[in-house]
Amino acid sequence: MHRRAKHTVSAEPSGSASEELPPPLQAERHLDAHLAPSSAVRVYLRIRPRFAGRAFTDPAFNVSDATTVETTTATLIHQQKKRFRFTKVFPECCSQMQLFQEVVRDQLDDFVRGANVLLFAYGPTAGGKTHTVQGPPNDPGLVPRTFEHLFKLIGSRVCKGAPVRPDCFDDVVPLSAEQEASALLRKGRLLDMKAARSATDFSRVASSSSHESLLHSCDSSYDEAQVSLWLSCYEIYKEGIYDLLLPSAEAATKKGGQWRTILKLGEDRAKRAFVRGLVEVPVHSADEAHRLFCLARTNQTIAETRLNRSSSRSHCVFMVRLVTSTSGTENWQVRTMMLCDLAGSERPSKAGTDGSWLREAGCINNSLSVLSRCLEGLRSKDAFKKAPVPFRESKLTQAMQAYFTTGAQVSLVVNICPSMSVFEESLNALKFSAVAIEVVPLQLESRHVRCKEAVRRLSERWNRAMGGDELPDGSLAQNKAEEVAPPAALDAHEAELFETIEALQRDLEDSRCQLKFVQKMAAVSETRANTYKGLMKCMEQELRMLRESAFHALEFRARTASEIAQLKRHSMAEQASTIDLRRRLEEAERQVAELEEKLGRKAVAQNVTANMCGCGHVPNTPA
């Protein structure tokens, strides 16, 4: 059985900013010039030590230098060594603070400046992912340290209340006074829960372990900005999405509270995924964020296996969403940091997962396999032209898709165990990293934007070449276009335009086919609906007849019960009268017996008197 444990959480922030929103609020995207939206994915490797920090005596992997790791000769007999390169390799002796400084600190700066950030931990079961992302209370991991340093960066610019909240992927919704009070009240209720109240005082641990301030290199344009910070957390368990700020069904049943329901993914206008109905909480300090983090990790699904006593059975996602507005403006910018603690890949034969647990392991391995295929597809420059990347085959990859296709800052921390017993699983994780390090997040524009830009460029070229009159929208006057024949050869811009038109035509044909299919399905559904309506009428008639027969039966039962009651009353009266007659008869019999006894005594006395008179004795009779 599963137990809700204190060990495993992952964080996920999500949000972005790049499209204009309808009044009264707008979301603007203005990255700093030095930010590279299409930089390659940064892949880090962390090697897990043995218990109590001891090194493995016969490891399956050796660290060659700061960026390279290779398999040992004892591992691959009669084969060549396999070498894997990373952005940086962290050996067993690496501390949590060192890992944070190298992996997250620069991304936090980019996050505050306006970049979306995705950071996820990948590796086999018992590879140390939870320790890296979460960490024990006395040695916090990446997520708690992110809270602490993020609030150091934004400082006093955090809004006291919650004037706005993020919506969808990067939209902004203004809150009324009642809605703001409701959001703050919900936060108070969550912070008052036992798991949040009993959280370790992270501020002392963080301050004692931090040796370097992050209050550096912040853009001066943000000095006057007002910031609203929102946190949320969910897990993907058996391809179902559950809010971790709400208790599980088991815990809610014991405590009499509200349990979590399965949430669904939605899409905004740019087809970017977000979780519908997810509880997002405004936070104003690192302590509040840490307490909510502790509350969320107690609700995550965790179970014991042969490889790990507290194995994560779900992908945990923690989201930090930053809503920023410059002073005196109504323009808001939303950006998201998504921190993921992925469940470990495992072999059921080694982990001992069977029965009901086997489906859990299957869902975990399937989602990680889809993630691997998505990275393989993204590694090709023409990924979206050759074949679609299968983001939609898994809830995990669907939630991550926007970060890989909008030029976000993406980092991956691969966690492996150098033990020979899990060599194959660790080797698969290294092969995954070899694909991920070659991925460059795409910066895709909307197709209609690309088409409009291509038309503008072609119109300008046509106007310069043919001397036509340019219209205000960038197109040519109709008379000139009709008089001059187009050139036979197409340049790169023209080819791009016609490729875009062909793609739009294919999409149109696909849409028409889908529309026809939907119309057919609608006709079938309407026929079924009519059939169901007829069945409903028949059922209503039958129900009416059943009600009438039931009513008559009830009337008959009522009459029968009344008659039975009357008969019982008459029977009881007859029994009472019979008892009275018997009593009178017995009294009469007793009186008759007494009278007979008196008559008998009188007769005896007369006989005695007669006998005495016959003998000459006259009895003395009283006067």
Side-chain angles (χ1 to χ4, degrees):
M1 293 180 62
H2 293 134
R3 59 187 180 87
R4 309 295 171 185
K6 308 173 181 178
H7 238 50
T8 312
V9 112
S10 79
E12 168 208 34
S14 90
S16 120
S18 98
E19 293 185 5
E20 288 191 357
L21 298 176
L25 298 178
Q26 292 181 340
E28 293 187 346
R29 184 171 181 80
H30 42 79
L31 290 177
D32 288 354
H34 75 279
L35 291 181
S38 60
S39 58
V41 174
R42 284 172 279 190
V43 182
Y44 303 90
L45 176 67
R46 189 179 195 186
I47 302 177
R48 199 206 81 177
R50 292 181 63 186
F51 181 72
R54 294 177 298 171
F56 286 87
T57 55
D58 187 18
F61 306 95
N62 285 332
V63 178
S64 301
D65 53 47
T67 60
T68 308
V69 68
E70 64 181 7
T71 58
T72 60
T73 54
T75 302
L76 299 174
I77 303 176
H78 307 303
Q79 296 186 22
Q80 295 180 352
K81 297 180 181 179
K82 292 185 179 293
R83 299 171 65 89
F84 300 91
R85 292 192 176 276
F86 297 86
T87 306
K88 188 174 180 60
V89 176
F90 298 94
E92 292 117 325
C93 59
C94 169
S95 66
Q96 297 279 65
M97 174 55 71
Q98 181 183 356
L99 183 71
F100 173 81
Q101 297 286 352
E102 295 285 346
V103 176
V104 185
R105 189 181 67 176
D106 293 339
Q107 293 205 358
L108 273 178
D109 293 339
D110 296 343
F111 176 57
V112 172
R113 290 191 182 96
N116 291 325
V117 176
L118 169 62
L119 171 65
F120 61 101
Y122 180 93
T125 296
K129 299 181 298 300
T130 297
H131 180 82
T132 296
V133 175
Q134 172 186 331
N138 59 347
D139 192 13
L142 298 181
V143 173
R145 294 179 187 274
T146 296
F147 299 150
E148 181 72 17
H149 290 265
L150 180 59
F151 276 96
K152 285 183 179 180
L153 282 173
I154 59 180
S156 60
R157 291 172 292 176
V158 180
C159 299
K160 293 184 179 180
V164 296
R165 68 170 177 84
D167 188 40
C168 296
F169 186 82
D170 64 353
D171 290 347
V172 181
V173 176
L175 298 181
S176 63
E178 293 78 7
Q179 292 172 332
E180 183 177 359
S182 177
L184 297 176
L185 181 62
R186 169 182 281 182
K187 181 183 75 170
R189 288 198 300 265
L190 292 174
L191 293 176
D192 195 47
M193 290 186 177
K194 182 179 179 181
R197 285 187 285 105
S198 59
T200 306
D201 186 3
F202 172 70
S203 59
R204 286 190 295 103
V205 178
S207 60
S208 62
S209 60
S210 60
H211 306 290
E212 180 179 350
S213 175
L214 291 185
L215 297 174
H216 65 281
S217 67
C218 287
D219 196 331
S220 59
S221 63
Y222 289 94
D223 291 343
E224 301 298 328
Q226 293 297 313
V227 176
S228 180
L229 195 66
W230 293 73
L231 300 184
S232 58
C233 188
Y234 64 89
E235 69 173 354
I236 302 176
Y237 174 65
K238 292 183 180 179
E239 287 301 299
I241 301 176
Y242 299 91
D243 196 328
L244 287 178
L245 293 181
L246 297 177
S248 61
E250 180 181 356
T253 303
K254 293 180 179 180
K255 301 176 182 179
Q258 178 186 5
W259 58 81
R260 298 176 292 166
T261 57
I262 298 180
L263 304 178
K264 296 183 179 180
L265 287 175
E267 290 184 344
D268 63 3
R269 295 168 296 179
K271 303 298 182 182
R272 294 170 299 188
F274 65 93
V275 181
R276 295 184 182 274
L278 185 65
V279 174
E280 293 188 89
V281 182
V283 291
H284 301 86
S285 67
D287 180 65
E288 289 182 354
H290 181 67
R291 289 166 63 187
L292 291 174
F293 174 80
C294 294
L295 172 64
R297 70 183 182 185
T298 59
N299 294 324
Q300 190 185 356
T301 305
I302 292 178
E304 182 176 353
T305 65
R306 293 177 184 173
L307 298 177
N308 193 350
R309 280 190 287 180
S310 56
S311 175
S312 302
R313 312 311 298 168
S314 64
H315 306 302
C316 185
V317 181
F318 204 88
M319 296 173 58
V320 181
R321 306 186 75 180
L322 208 60
V323 185
T324 307
S325 172
T326 56
S327 178
T329 69
E330 292 295 332
N331 297 323
W332 296 88
Q333 181 185 4
V334 182
R335 77 291 303 264
T336 303
M337 174 174 274
M338 179 178 180
L339 304 173
C340 305
D341 182 9
L342 303 183
S345 59
E346 62 186 19
R347 292 190 176 185
S349 58
K350 288 186 178 182
T353 51
D354 54 4
S356 60
W357 290 359
L358 193 59
R359 182 167 177 264
E360 292 179 356
C363 291
I364 293 171
N365 292 336
N366 178 68
S367 60
L368 295 177
S369 175
V370 173
L371 176 60
S372 178
R373 288 192 283 120
C374 289
L375 294 181
E376 184 71 37
L378 289 171
R379 183 168 60 169
S380 173
K381 293 182 180 179
D382 299 328
F384 284 88
K385 294 183 180 180
K386 293 183 178 179
V389 180
F391 283 113
R392 294 181 177 272
E393 293 185 8
S394 170
K395 292 291 194 305
L396 174 66
T397 52
Q398 192 173 354
M400 289 183 173
Q401 178 180 2
Y403 300 90
F404 286 104
T405 58
T406 58
Q409 303 291 327
V410 181
S411 296
L412 164 64
V413 180
V414 178
N415 294 263
I416 64 171
C417 176
S419 173
M420 295 293 295
S421 60
V422 291
F423 167 71
E424 293 183 3
E425 291 80 359
S426 298
L427 185 61
N428 290 333
L430 294 177
K431 292 178 180 178
F432 177 89
S433 68
V435 175
I437 201 168
E438 298 180 3
V439 172
V440 177
L442 304 176
Q443 185 68 44
L444 299 180
E445 294 178 312
S446 300
R447 180 167 289 170
H448 73 277
V449 175
R450 299 199 305 270
C451 183
K452 184 177 180 180
E453 181 65 20
V455 170
R456 185 189 63 79
R457 292 196 301 266
L458 181 60
S459 299
E460 291 178 355
R461 172 178 166 79
W462 190 291
N463 185 55
R464 289 193 303 268
M466 303 303 168
D469 296 331
E470 187 176 359
L471 297 178
D473 60 354
S475 60
L476 291 177
Q478 183 66 26
N479 57 346
K480 296 294 182 182
E482 292 177 353
E483 293 175 0
V484 182
L490 298 178
D491 62 5
H493 297 306
E494 293 168 345
E496 179 184 1
L497 172 62
F498 286 105
E499 286 180 2
T500 305
I501 292 175
E502 289 177 357
L504 290 173
Q505 288 176 344
R506 289 194 299 269
D507 289 349
L508 180 60
E509 292 298 326
D510 293 340
S511 300
R512 286 175 177 173
C513 294
Q514 293 178 4
L515 179 60
K516 290 181 181 179
F517 176 75
V518 171
Q519 288 175 344
K520 290 181 181 179
M521 295 300 297
V524 173
S525 300
E526 186 176 359
T527 304
R528 291 179 178 176
N530 293 332
T531 304
Y532 293 150
K533 288 179 180 178
L535 292 175
M536 287 294 295
K537 290 182 179 179
C538 295
M539 293 177 65
E540 288 177 355
Q541 293 178 358
E542 293 179 359
L543 181 61
R544 191 179 301 109
M545 294 175 61
L546 289 174
R547 286 178 178 174
E548 291 177 356
S549 61
F551 179 73
H552 293 318
L554 288 175
E555 285 185 342
F556 176 75
R557 290 181 180 180
R559 289 197 302 271
T560 304
S562 177
E563 292 176 358
I564 291 174
Q566 291 179 1
L567 290 175
K568 286 182 177 180
R569 287 196 297 272
H570 288 302
S571 175
M572 292 176 64
E574 291 292 335
Q575 289 178 359
S577 61
T578 302
I579 292 173
D580 185 58
L581 289 176
R582 286 180 179 176
R583 183 178 59 75
R584 291 182 180 181
L585 181 60
E586 290 176 355
E587 182 67 21
E589 290 177 351
R590 185 181 61 77
Q591 291 178 358
V592 169
E594 290 178 355
L595 183 58
E596 288 178 351
E597 185 179 357
K598 288 182 181 180
L599 290 176
R601 288 197 301 269
K602 187 175 181 180
V604 172
Q606 289 178 355
N607 292 332
V608 171
T609 304
N611 292 331
M612 291 178 64
C613 291
C615 294
H617 296 286
V618 179
N620 294 325
T621 55

